[in-house]
Amino acid sequence: MGAGAGPAAQPGLEEVLFVCCDGLSGLGDEITGTWPDTTVQTCVVHLIRRSLGYASYGDRKAMAAGLKAIYTACDADAAYAALADFSGTALGKKYPAAVAVRERARDRFIPFLEYRPALRKVLYTTNAIESFNREMRKVLKTRTQFPNDDSVAKTLWLAILDAEEKRPGSARSRPASPRRSGTRCRG
């Protein structure tokens, strides 16, 4: 850093508000060590998978249904109550290690419960990010060489556009609506 240069002169992120990660040990601590005001959320889908990993195949569907009350709770207190209720059920008693997964992840699980349900759908999992990264790796893996950095950027940009077209609910993936074309259906 040059003389007189402050933190604003450093490249990179200055502030991160919310991070959803897969629960790797130490990752949340590293994030909050770098950005102390960041809210760290453990991916709910990863927690569900981890809990279901302790159940027999025949019990997984019932366990998933029982765990749903925890991650769809209206707030942290309701989530704690739902976890206590689940731990008292036959499945909770049969698989205490699955309950322990939730208890260990408690502080990193509840942050998204502070948000409205519509926003929770975006914050609760890393699946969209993982899917996007997988698509980008697949595009780059099929090509063995790039003549320059611009060709890599262009290839990734085109892949992003292609992924956007395939994404459900995107404007590009929807057929033209009769209402948009000026004709009205009367019923």
Side-chain angles (χ1 to χ4, degrees):
M1 194 177 342
Q10 294 177 330
L13 296 173
E14 292 181 19
E15 181 179 29
V16 175
L17 301 176
F18 193 95
V19 173
C20 183
C21 53
D22 62 5
L24 290 172
S25 61
L27 183 58
D29 295 333
E30 289 295 322
I31 292 167
T32 55
T34 305
W35 300 288
D37 296 329
T38 301
T39 300
V40 178
Q41 167 73 42
T42 298
C43 174
V44 174
V45 173
H46 280 83
L47 279 175
I48 293 168
R49 288 180 190 154
R50 206 168 310 136
S51 295
L52 294 178
Y54 290 102
S56 68
Y57 183 77
D59 288 338
R60 287 184 181 180
K61 194 171 195 175
M63 182 181 273
L67 293 172
K68 188 173 184 176
I70 300 167
Y71 63 86
T72 58
C74 60
D75 59 22
D77 292 336
Y80 294 141
L83 178 59
D85 289 346
F86 178 78
S87 66
T89 66
L91 285 173
K93 290 176 182 175
K94 186 175 180 181
Y95 301 109
V99 173
V101 166
R102 295 296 179 140
E103 289 171 345
R104 284 191 306 271
R106 181 187 315 215
D107 293 338
R108 300 279 191 203
F109 163 71
I110 60 167
F112 88 114
L113 294 173
E114 297 175 14
Y115 297 93
R116 292 176 286 129
L119 193 52
R120 289 182 192 180
K121 290 180 181 181
V122 177
L123 299 176
Y124 84 104
T125 184
T126 60
N127 284 354
I129 297 164
E130 291 172 359
S131 174
F132 175 79
N133 288 338
R134 183 174 44 252
E135 288 296 317
M136 295 304 107
R137 281 193 303 273
K138 187 168 67 173
V139 166
L140 293 178
K141 188 176 183 180
T142 60
R143 290 163 179 77
T144 56
Q145 294 182 1
F146 292 96
N148 55 40
D149 290 348
D150 289 339
S151 64
V152 175
K154 185 174 184 177
T155 300
L156 289 174
W157 176 249
L158 292 172
I160 291 167
L161 292 177
D162 187 47
E164 178 65 19
E165 286 180 13
K166 294 176 185 174
R167 187 174 58 90
S170 73
R172 292 179 174 191
S173 69
R174 286 184 243 146
S177 167
R179 290 184 178 190
R180 289 187 189 155
S181 64
T183 61
R184 289 194 163 235
C185 299
R186 295 182 192 236

